[in-house]
Amino acid sequence: FDEVLGQDAIAQTLKNAITSGRVAHAYLFAGPRGTGKTSMARILAKAMNCLEAKGPTVTPCGTCDACQAIARGSDMDAVEFDAASNRKVEEVQSLILDRVDYAPSRCRFRIFIVDEVQQLSPTAFDALLNTLEEPPPHVRFIFATTHPGDVPPTIHSRCQRFDFRRVDPERLLAHLKALCRSEGVTVAEETLRLVARSA
């Protein structure tokens, strides 16, 4: 969590929720592209399902089978998909609704990460709503969106929302310098400044 740049308040709130055992059943991560929404979703999935810990942890190991599979987007218990290419109700049915009643295969939770959730069709949102109203205890949803206004209020009201902000260019520049130092790479500051400005 501490390595997600510029989203300190969100990271701290999620860590507090994990520590206190009060992780919400659904989150809505909203914000511009490139601000860390999907990265934070994967980190939260690792924190909930790390096999090296005895329970949800704020410091997932990153090396166990579950953490590695979640990082690759290939874990059976952490299903990740893009709503832009899977927006129909039939696709939501097969990717989420047909799986929610089944217990996780090896982890504690079955986690569904839906990127660009605002792209789902109205019928897909309606089908999803029933599950969000009464989610099984072993299921967590993490929705990411660049257009939170396009997410229906019925879905919105059942999620805990976090707004991701763009990272300040000077902070991004300092981070890029630190990365270059740690990797032993020499790069002109103006080059890094151009990268930070583009990002």
Side-chain angles (χ1 to χ4, degrees), residues 74-150:
S74 62
D75 191 69
M76 290 175 55
D77 292 328
V79 179
E80 183 179 335
F81 70 93
D82 187 351
S85 53
N86 296 286
R87 61 185 315 267
K88 297 178 183 173
V89 68
E90 298 83 8
E91 292 160 333
V92 169
Q93 182 75 41
S94 67
L95 288 167
I96 298 178
L97 304 179
D98 289 346
R99 302 180 185 191
V100 292
D101 291 330
Y102 296 105
S105 61
R106 65 174 173 177
C107 297
R108 293 174 205 89
F109 297 94
R110 190 169 286 269
I111 299 171
F112 296 94
I113 300 171
V114 185
D115 207 6
E116 295 300 338
V117 70
Q118 81 279 358
Q119 298 275 3
L120 290 179
S121 69
T123 51
F125 274 125
D126 288 343
L128 189 57
L129 183 59
N130 291 333
T131 302
L132 279 179
E133 286 174 336
E134 294 182 26
H138 61 271
V139 172
R140 297 291 184 273
F141 292 96
I142 308 171
F143 303 123
T145 180
T146 50
H147 296 91
D150 294 342

Side-chain angles (χ1 to χ4, degrees), residues 146-164:
T146 50
H147 296 91
D150 294 342
V151 177
T154 51
I155 300 293
H156 227 227
S157 65
R158 287 161 176 81
C159 299
Q160 185 173 346
R161 177 174 166 173
F162 289 108
D163 289 302
F164 286 65

Side-chain angles (χ1 to χ4, degrees), residues 1-2 4 10-19 21-29 36-51 55-61 66-67 70-71 75 77-78 80 107-113 139-143 160 162 164:
F1 286 105
D2 296 336
V4 180
I10 296 170
Q12 188 59 52
T13 303
L14 291 173
K15 284 163 64 176
N16 292 346
I18 292 166
T19 303
R22 299 178 59 110
V23 175
H25 72 273
Y27 288 99
L28 180 65
F29 291 172
K37 299 181 300 295
T38 305
S39 296
M40 190 74 86
R42 288 179 181 161
I43 293 166
L44 180 56
K46 290 178 190 178
M48 298 300 291
N49 281 343
C50 179
L51 298 174
T57 176
V58 296
T59 54
C61 71
C67 286
I70 290 168
D75 191 69
D77 292 328
E80 183 179 335
C107 297
R108 293 174 205 89
F109 297 94
R110 190 169 286 269
I111 299 171
F112 296 94
I113 300 171
V139 172
R140 297 291 184 273
F141 292 96
I142 308 171
F143 303 123
Q160 185 173 346
F162 289 108
F164 286 65

